[in-house]
Amino acid sequence: MGFAFLVVMRTGFKAFVSFLLVSLLLSSLVSSVPEDGLLRVGLKKFKPDPNNRVAARLESQGGWSLRSSIRPYHLNGLQGDAQQADIVGLKNYLDAQYYGEISIGTPPQKFTVIFDTGSSNLWVPSSKCYLSVACFFHSKYQSSQSSTYKRNGKPASIQYGTGAISGFFSNDNVQVGDLVIKDQEFIEATSEPGITFMAAKFDGILGLGFQEISVGDAVPLWYNMVEQGLVKEPVFSFWLNSNPEEEEGGELVFGGVDPKHFKGKHTYVPVTQKGYWQFAMGDVLIGGKPTGYCGGGCAAIADSGTSLLAGPTTVITMINQAIGASGVASQECKAVVAQYGQTIIDLLLVEASPKKICSQVGLCTFDGNRGVSRGIESVVDESEGRSSGFMRDAMCSACEMAVVWTHSQLQQNQTQERVLNYVDELCDRIPSPMGESAVDCGKLSSMPKVSFTIGGKVFDLSPNEYILKVGEGPSAQCISGFTGLDVPPPRGPLWIMGDVFMRRYHTMFDYGNLRVGFAESA
């Protein structure tokens, strides 16, 4: 998974809103190492410009879909496929808002980068990038101009959900603020295909994840920062400014935490799997009521490189229904409810195992842990087979969601008629293939809180915190900050706690104690 960008809008609106988030150029960066030994890196965020519609020209395939970015890359990476070890997926470049400046070489060559806790490599465009149009729009590293450059030459390639880069490794000094990390291995990108990189205002990525997911097993910059004794403590922390009226985007602090950035104390949870900053998360609540979906535990990742908050489509649909978000109706889902809804209720009332119900009604097979698509036993026509296979997958998935929703409503002692109507309505709230769900800007005050249980504590998000607003007045557009992401067991269900969450909660990444801490942002 690694650099996990999420594509969240459909064609037109998707491209429009995504581009707005990165449409203004990064201004000056403030960083210093004061007497307290902390390195503070100022982050800038880009204010949306509702009049800028340049990105509307992007073709739909230029953005990719959320599911197309996950299936080929993310799942292989999580399952530990050795041949896919360098595959990284899941983030949408155009949704990343927070940027900083670094320098590479002697004398220093400046680059704008995303500080990303969801990946582990540093890469910037190379002066040897001749054929990719994107390279002409960004600063390029020139090894011949640096007296501290060391030739490496090992090839490198990274596939993201919304594009790919390839090139080769080099070594040079990297400056972050006033700190100089010596002999850092990084990627010189010689190929950046696609329009995504051309439209983005950043030059490269600085990964802050673990070496376990580093392409080419390169030692991450953060490791070298600690190893070379450049920071006071093996800790870094993010404060993302939630005030849209202020120019300051936030601050990334290396070596500790800045007390003025948070209130109270941090709630800590251990890193459950090195690679991403992954931890265990408990139940998700809507309006204070448990959904029960993560009652048995879910995995979550604290990810500074993702704008939205992503989770299993089943729960995201429940959230979007509760906040009045309108997605694209799923005919497969509604067909399941119409044909099997009452049977699902009957089986649940006789205490059948929810995990086995979809196989009992014939839409899935049970693999011992969950329902999976039955597949196609006979195929007459190849094109018909592909269509049938897609439909079978959709029906199985729709059934599993319907079971979860039905079970949740029955536990709240709702009437059977009310349950069926509720589940049918949820079918209309399933996010679009691009993940986008719009809401009425005038109804924010009536929307419920959405909460997440972490370390035994409940962390709330209010409507003003989970709704993204573009523009002002009657022309304003609002979208849900929640998007669907389905990762099957044993790695899933998986949640990506992106900037929507990290704006509300100051996040500390404790490398020394392998834990993540959350506290209310100040």
Side-chain angles (χ1 to χ4, degrees), residues 6 116 157 173 193 272 319 457 478 521:
L6 297 174
D116 174 40
S157 179
N173 294 349
T272 54
I319 293 173
K457 181 179 178 180
C478 291
S521 289

Side-chain angles (χ1 to χ4, degrees), residues 32 50 95 122 124 129 142 151 158 184 203 269 271 283-284 347 350-351 364 403 428 496 522:
S32 61
D95 288 327
L122 168 61
V124 295
C129 180
Q142 300 183 59
R151 186 179 184 280
I158 305 178
Q184 175 63 44
D203 299 316
V269 285
V271 171
D283 206 1
V284 180
L347 289 171
V350 296
E351 299 184 351
C364 305
V403 169
D428 291 323
I496 309 295

Side-chain angles (χ1 to χ4, degrees), residues 83-161:
Q83 294 181 343
Q84 301 290 343
D86 289 350
I87 296 298
V88 187
L90 281 193
K91 281 187 200 157
N92 171 14
Y93 282 147
L94 296 180
D95 288 327
Q97 304 179 63
Y98 297 91
Y99 298 74
E101 190 176 89
I102 65 169
S103 299
I104 302 178
T106 308
Q109 302 174 36
K110 293 184 178 181
F111 299 92
T112 299
V113 297
I114 297 171
F115 291 95
D116 174 40
T117 59
S119 66
S120 300
N121 289 88
L122 168 61
W123 69 262
V124 295
S126 171
S127 61
K128 297 177 178 62
C129 180
Y130 305 119
L131 301 179
S132 295
V133 176
C135 289
F136 291 95
F137 290 84
H138 298 285
S139 299
K140 295 181 286 293
Y141 171 75
Q142 300 183 59
S143 59
S144 62
Q145 301 300 311
S146 174
S147 62
T148 47
Y149 161 73
K150 293 182 180 179
R151 186 179 184 280
N152 182 314
K154 182 173 61 177
S157 179
I158 305 178
Q159 175 70 60
Y160 295 111

